[in-house]
Amino acid sequence: MAKNRRRLKQIWINPEFQKHFLVKFGFLNLISCGLFVATILSFLVNVREMAEESGFFQSAAFQGFWDVQVQIISFSLLIAVLVSFFLFLYLGLTMSHKIAGPLYRLNNHFKKLAKSEEDEEHFLEKVTFRKGDYFREIEDSFNDLVDKQNSYHE
């Protein structure tokens, strides 16, 4: 039996499902990043208003300090959003593979069973999922069924 390692041979196993999954995952990322950026910007606006009311903002030194801090925070937010985007993309692809892979394997297995003849030597064969795939209980249940059916044919 071949080793069942997780290797990315192709990006799209089930393109329709995976693209739909990534769009939803991306939308979730967009909302979370938007809320994060909006919270930080709201905080900066409130701090600036308080500084203006208290007279701090009239100082050239404070204005220079403020401008530098806003640039640093803006750059940090940009980096955080980009890292978040690529992290969500990676996690979305990984999760979609762990879902689509077993379903793809089962679908191919069922197609093979539908084409096979009952008198063939390997009419019912066990199915194996990759390590880390979801739905391992389906693999176990199906293999239990195969064992039971094969014991009847013996």
Side-chain angles (χ1 to χ4, degrees):
M1 183 181 288
K3 290 188 179 180
N4 223 7
R5 290 190 197 143
R6 172 167 292 290
R7 283 176 282 163
L8 184 64
K9 291 182 182 176
Q10 61 190 44
I11 292 177
W12 304 113
I13 293 173
N14 182 341
E16 183 180 339
F17 164 75
Q18 287 180 285
K19 288 177 183 177
H20 185 72
F21 187 83
L22 286 176
V23 165
K24 287 188 175 189
F25 226 63
F27 186 68
L28 178 64
N29 182 32
L30 181 65
I31 289 172
S32 62
C33 285
L35 289 172
F36 178 67
V37 169
T39 301
I40 298 295
L41 292 178
S42 174
F43 172 75
L44 290 175
V45 166
N46 287 339
V47 169
R48 182 178 177 132
E49 288 173 357
M50 290 172 60
E52 286 175 347
E53 288 174 7
S54 62
F56 283 120
F57 213 75
Q58 294 172 352
S59 163
F62 184 79
Q63 285 181 2
F65 169 77
W66 179 259
D67 291 341
V68 169
Q69 296 308 307
V70 168
Q71 287 176 351
I72 290 170
I73 291 172
S74 298
F75 181 73
S76 298
L77 284 173
L78 177 64
I79 297 297
V81 167
L82 288 175
V83 167
S84 174
F85 171 77
F86 287 111
L87 184 63
F88 267 75
L89 182 64
Y90 172 76
L91 290 174
L93 276 173
T94 302
M95 286 181 65
S96 71
H97 265 260
K98 289 181 178 187
I99 295 169
L103 297 176
Y104 177 81
R105 190 172 288 247
L106 272 176
N107 189 38
N108 285 340
H109 195 70
F110 290 145
K111 286 178 182 178
K112 182 180 173 184
L113 286 174
K115 289 180 182 179
S116 68
E117 296 293 327
E118 191 169 337
D119 59 324
E120 287 184 16
E121 184 178 327
H122 298 292
F123 175 65
L124 281 177
E125 294 179 349
K126 291 185 176 184
V127 68
T128 56
F129 294 166
R130 298 169 296 187
K131 182 180 179 183
D133 276 344
Y134 296 146
F135 309 121
R136 298 300 293 229
E137 65 277 2
I138 294 174
E139 174 189 13
D140 295 337
S141 297
F142 183 82
N143 290 337
D144 290 344
L145 173 72
V146 169
D147 289 339
K148 187 174 183 179
Q149 288 297 317
N150 286 340
S151 70
Y152 289 145
H153 290 293
E154 291 177 356

